[in-house]
Amino acid sequence: MSQFAGWLAQRYRNNRRLTEYEIVADVRKFDSSTMAPLDQGIIYLDDDCIEYVDRHFLYRGWAAMWGGVVLGLVFAFVLAIVYATLEMHAEGKSVSPEMTVTVGVLGVLLLGFVVFTYWMLLGRDIFRYQYYPIRFDRREMKIHIFTGGRGGIVSAPWSGVRFIIGTDKPTGPNDGVTYDLRGLVMDGDKVVHTFAIGSDSGSNPGITLAHWEMIRRFMEEGRSELPFPPLQLYTSVEPTFRNAFIIHVSSAGSGLMWIALPLTLPWAVFRFLAMKLCRKPVWPASVLRHGSSTTSGMPPLRAPVVYGRVNRAGGRADEMERFWKESIAAAKSRNDEVRSRLQQSSITA
C-alpha cells in the first residue's frame, strides 16, 4: 500500500538527480498563500520552532502485527513437525534419512524466512524510536531531521530543501495514491536525503498544500500569522494503550468502528507493544540550545497527553472544529486542480 512508502515499501532513493515529477510537484509552484494552514502532526510550537512527527507515526504497529502473525505461523509449523516426530517415536517408527534431510532443509528455509520477516517487518517497528521528529528552526532558518542510528540527525538550511507533494506508485491494482509533504535535502542539483513531514493527506493533494502553508507561513512570516487560536495541538506522542486505541480503533468512526474491530484492535495492541519496545527520541544539545522562546507573549504549545484532547473552555473546541471543517473542505476543493498539474509529468516519484 502506498501509505507505507518510505517505510515498508518503495524506499526513498537518494544520491540522485530530481525526477520530472519532483520538478512539477514543487509546492512553491502552487499558490498556497490564500489557504488556511492545517496541522498535520505538530507536537511542539513556540516563536522560533515548530516540530512534527514523521509520516509513519500513525501507522506504527502495522509491521509488528503482521510480523507477529508470520512468526506465529512459523512457530505453529515447527510445533507440528515436532509433534509428528514424537508421534512416530511413540509408535516405534524410525525417522528415515530422507525425512531427516527434508526437515533439515525446511529448518534452514524457516530460519531464513524468520530473518527476512524481522528485517522487513518486525525490525521496522520495534527496538527503534517511537517517532522520528522533524524540527523547523525559524531563528537559525534550519531544518533538523531526526534519523536515529549512527548519524542521529540531518540538518539543512531552509533554502537547501526542496519541498514537494510526494506520492508513490500503488503497490497493488486496487490501491489508491497517497499524498504527503516531502522534503528533499539538496546538494546543488543532487538529492542527498529524503524525508516526509507529519501525517499524509490520503487521496487529497489539496490538504498537502494546506499542510505546506502552515510550515511556509511559520518560517517566512512568523507564529503570529498562524491560526492560533482557534487551532490547538491534538497529536500525542505518549506511548499509552489509550492513545493506541484512539488512533487505530476510534479513528475508524462510530459507523465503522465495530466492523473494523477485528483488524484495528490487534493493530492497537501491537502499536502499544511496539511503542513500549522503542526509545523516545532525544535531540542533541546543539539543536535545543535556544530553549523555548515566547517573545510574542504566547506560551509554547505542546503535544497533549491524550491524543485528540483539546481545551474545551470558552467554546474553543467548537471554534476549532468549525475551523477544521471549513479549512479541510476548502483544501479538498483544490484537489482536481492540483492533480491536473501533477499529471503533467509522466514519471511518479
Side-chain angles (χ1 to χ4, degrees):
M1 290 179 281
S2 61
Q3 59 263 43
F4 297 139
W7 180 38
L8 301 180
Q10 301 171 10
R11 290 302 191 90
Y12 298 143
R13 295 184 301 109
N14 297 309
N15 300 313
R16 58 176 178 80
R17 293 183 180 275
L18 291 169
T19 66
E20 181 184 341
Y21 173 84
E22 289 167 339
I23 295 172
V24 172
D26 190 325
V27 290
R28 292 189 180 276
K29 294 184 177 181
F30 298 81
D31 180 15
S32 63
S33 61
T34 59
M35 303 182 75
L38 284 176
D39 173 5
Q40 290 285 93
I42 300 174
I43 55 175
Y44 180 81
L45 183 141
D46 63 25
D47 290 354
D48 294 326
C49 166
I50 188 170
E51 188 170 312
Y52 283 83
V53 292
D54 60 284
R55 180 193 192 276
H56 304 108
F57 173 70
L58 295 182
Y59 294 114
R60 296 293 295 276
W62 182 265
M65 179 174 69
W66 289 109
V69 169
V70 171
L71 293 185
L73 292 174
V74 169
F75 184 67
F77 185 73
V78 170
L79 285 181
I81 292 177
V82 171
Y83 177 77
T85 303
L86 293 176
E87 283 290 301
M88 290 179 65
H89 280 293
E91 295 173 2
K93 298 179 181 178
S94 61
V95 179
S96 66
E98 292 81 4
M99 184 174 291
T100 301
V101 172
T102 300
V103 171
V105 171
L106 283 175
V108 172
L109 291 175
L110 286 175
L111 180 61
F113 192 53
V114 168
V115 172
F116 180 78
T117 299
Y118 182 86
W119 178 55
M120 291 297 295
L121 292 172
L122 279 174
R124 307 284 175 86
D125 231 355
I126 63 175
F127 307 133
R128 298 177 69 85
Y129 289 93
Q130 294 169 353
Y131 58 100
Y132 294 79
I134 300 99
R135 173 173 286 227
F136 295 83
D137 186 335
R138 187 169 186 269
R139 181 183 297 184
E140 296 288 321
M141 294 305 287
K142 284 186 176 181
I143 304 169
H144 304 288
I145 307 107
F146 188 92
T147 59
R150 294 180 180 178
I153 65 168
V154 172
S155 296
W158 170 250
S159 59
V161 178
R162 180 187 290 261
F163 294 93
I164 66 167
I165 299 174
T167 184
D168 292 87
K169 294 178 181 179
T171 56
N174 298 319
D175 290 337
V177 171
T178 301
Y179 297 95
D180 58 42
L181 180 61
R182 203 167 298 179
L184 308 175
V185 179
M186 307 298 296
D187 182 6
D189 59 356
K190 185 179 180 182
V191 179
V192 295
H193 185 75
T194 306
F195 62 100
I197 309 150
S199 305
D200 66 65
S201 307
S203 60
N204 302 288
I207 290 180
T208 298
L209 271 186
H211 176 18
W212 154 250
E213 179 58 20
M214 177 74 80
I215 297 170
R216 185 205 67 79
R217 197 172 295 189
F218 174 81
M219 291 294 284
E220 298 181 359
E221 301 177 23
R223 178 182 179 181
S224 61
E225 297 302 314
L226 300 183
F228 295 103
L231 203 56
Q232 304 175 62
L233 304 190
Y234 65 89
T235 301
S236 175
V237 292
E238 293 297 320
T240 64
F241 182 74
R242 182 175 186 177
N243 282 337
F245 186 90
I246 291 171
I247 291 170
H248 291 320
V249 178
S250 300
S251 61
S254 57
L256 295 175
M257 188 169 69
W258 295 110
I259 298 174
L261 196 63
L263 175 64
T264 56
L265 183 57
W267 191 357
V269 171
F270 276 95
R271 178 187 179 85
F272 172 68
L273 294 175
M275 291 293 101
K276 288 297 185 181
L277 291 172
C278 289
R279 292 169 287 172
K280 183 177 181 179
V282 178
W283 289 109
S286 59
V287 173
L288 301 175
R289 63 182 179 273
H290 298 312
S292 299
S293 173
T294 58
T295 56
S296 67
M298 293 185 287
L301 295 177
R302 293 181 171 84
V305 175
V306 179
Y307 193 95
R309 175 171 288 179
V310 296
N311 183 1
R312 310 193 70 86
R316 291 191 69 199
D318 295 335
E319 189 179 3
M320 178 177 172
E321 185 176 357
R322 285 194 300 270
F323 172 84
W324 270 95
K325 286 182 178 179
E326 293 171 0
S327 301
I328 289 175
K332 287 182 176 180
S333 70
R334 295 193 61 180
N335 280 344
D336 291 341
E337 168 213 336
V338 177
R339 286 197 195 99
S340 177
R341 292 181 59 180
L342 292 176
Q343 288 169 0
Q344 293 176 18
S345 169
S346 60
I347 302 175
T348 56

